[in-house]
Each structure stands twice: as structure tokens, then as C-alpha cells.
Amino acid sequence: MASSLHSNLTFLLPTPKPKPIITQSSTVHHIPVRCGPRSNRGPLVKGRILSTEAIQAVQSLKRANKTNPQSPAYPSLSRLLKADLLAALRELLRQGECAVALHVFSAVRAEYPDRDLGLLADMISALGKKGMRDEIDRLIGELEEIDGGDEKGLVRVIKGVIGAGLKESTVRIYGVMKRSGVGSSWKVDEYVGKVLSRGLRGFGELELANEVEREFCWDFRGNLENSLV
């Protein structure tokens, strides 16, 4: 009886599923693996790849500064083309190598003097982030040698100096503009005057801020009247 019952129960057990047979012809699927950046530094300037000369210049400059930070023996940069020199400078700024970048910036200014204040604004911005206030003051002290500039670059310079909390350099910028001639050597607009005036007020230079506003209001009113004649 028991044997018969056990025999009947075996039909109620689930039938085991056959295991899949893997053949050599089975397709192997590869999962792509993407590696992220190996450091916290951002990518190179969009749309620009550093030349071999620029890369070597950056490496040799950094090596010289690391070997003797107090008095580095920097290699000559005279063999570099302007494009490579500027690319090396921007790469150094991107890496936060401001001390080395200052040396390259001086070489650029000596070799290719012009009125483009954009590069000066980039330098001031980078130096401000590093708290290198004395170096910013020194660059502003050399501003008179540029003898003018465009309003877009000038307003970036003013904002960078104000952002670094440099009162004397902000006052010096206005002095340079007055001596060089607002509206002639220095191509400015009303927005530049407003930024400069607000900065001076923030430093407590109320009389000078009012003077800036009067100077710019008169200048633009006079230009408008002359254009209507």
C-alpha cells in the first residue's frame, strides 16, 4: 500500500528543467567601460590642442619652478610662436600655476605689446583666486604702459581688482584712465563707469565715485550732442 502511494506521488514532483548548453559559437557581449578624469583639473581649452612645443614649454617651466621656487632658472621662450606662447600661458593658468604664468605673461607683454586687456583680466582673476594681491597691484602699476584698451577687457580688469579687494589699485585704474584720456585711448562705455563708481563707493571713496559719475555723464552727453550736430 505504502509502496503504491509513493509511486503515485512521484508524478506530482516538478520536472527539472534542462540546463542550457553553451557552445563555442555563443556570442560574447562586451560591456564598454569609460574612465573618468584622473585629476580634478578641467579639460583643455575647448577647441584647442596644445602643440608639442607648448607642452614641452609648460613642463620645463614647471620643472624649473619646482627645482628652485625662490629663484627659478626659467628656459628661454623666444623660440615659441605667439600662438604657442599664449596656449602655454592659458594652460598654466588652468592648472593654477600662477607664479610660472606671471613669467610667461611678462614674456608675452615684452614680445607682443598690444591693447588687448583680456589676457590681463585672466591673470588678475587667477591671481585673485590664489590671494596674490601684491602681484595684482604690480600688474595694475604697469597698466599705464598699455596706453589704452577696449571696454570689454577694461571692465573685466576693474571687476577683478574690486573682487580682490584692492582699493588702491581701483583708484589707480581711474587715474590712468584720466591721464590717458577717457573716450580716446581708453574705449569705454557708461557701464564701465558704473562698475568703477560702485567699486569706489564700496571702498568708501564717495567723492571719487561721484567724480567718476560726473566725468562719464559729461563725456557721454557731450558725445551725444556732437553726434546730433
Side-chain angles (χ1 to χ4, degrees):
M1 180 67 177
S3 176
S4 176
L5 179 60
H6 177 75
S7 177
N8 292 332
L9 289 175
T10 57
F11 291 99
L12 301 177
L13 296 175
T15 305
K17 296 181 179 180
K19 295 182 179 180
I21 300 174
I22 301 177
T23 63
Q24 294 182 351
S25 61
S26 299
T27 303
V28 179
H29 297 281
H30 296 279
I31 301 176
V33 178
R34 296 183 180 181
C35 299
R38 291 178 291 178
S39 67
N40 293 326
R41 294 203 305 262
L44 294 176
V45 180
K46 184 177 180 181
R48 178 179 292 277
I49 299 176
L50 267 68
S51 66
T52 302
E53 290 77 10
I55 293 173
Q56 291 176 347
V58 169
Q59 292 174 342
S60 59
L61 287 164
K62 289 173 62 178
R63 191 181 305 115
N65 185 66
K66 185 177 181 180
T67 302
N68 188 0
Q70 301 302 322
S71 182
Y74 289 123
S76 174
L77 300 174
S78 59
R79 60 185 177 81
L80 290 180
L81 299 175
K82 183 179 181 180
D84 291 332
L85 196 58
L86 292 175
L89 173 57
R90 292 192 173 95
E91 177 62 13
L92 288 167
L93 290 176
R94 185 186 72 86
Q95 295 184 19
E97 297 284 349
C98 292
V100 186
L102 276 171
H103 172 74
V104 181
F105 180 74
S106 297
V108 173
R109 289 276 300 275
E111 190 70 22
Y112 306 102
D114 56 34
R115 294 185 176 185
D116 181 13
L117 298 179
L119 205 57
L120 176 61
D122 291 339
M123 283 297 311
I124 291 174
S125 176
L127 293 171
K129 292 176 182 177
K130 292 287 186 178
M132 302 172 71
R133 297 159 58 93
D134 291 342
E135 285 75 8
I136 296 177
D137 284 333
R138 182 177 63 80
L139 290 178
I140 296 302
E142 300 172 358
L143 187 61
E144 198 162 356
E145 299 176 7
I146 297 179
D147 189 27
D150 62 295
E151 63 272 12
K152 185 177 180 180
L154 179 59
V155 76
R156 288 183 58 210
V157 168
I158 295 172
K159 285 183 175 180
V161 172
I162 294 173
L166 298 173
K167 173 182 174 179
E168 292 183 2
S169 285
T170 305
V171 173
R172 189 178 296 120
I173 289 174
Y174 179 53
V176 171
M177 292 169 60
K178 285 188 65 177
R179 287 192 296 273
S180 299
V182 177
S184 54
S185 297
W186 294 92
K187 304 301 180 183
V188 300
D189 55 19
E190 190 174 0
Y191 179 63
V192 175
K194 289 180 179 179
V195 171
L196 182 57
S197 175
R198 285 197 297 266
L200 291 169
R201 288 187 186 280
F203 290 130
E205 294 288 340
L206 303 183
E207 293 186 6
L208 198 56
N210 291 333
E211 181 181 332
V212 170
E213 292 178 357
R214 289 194 300 269
E215 179 77 19
F216 276 82
C217 287
W218 180 88
D219 181 63
F220 284 100
R221 189 184 303 115
N223 288 340
L224 178 60
E225 291 175 353
N226 291 334
S227 64
L228 296 176
V229 173

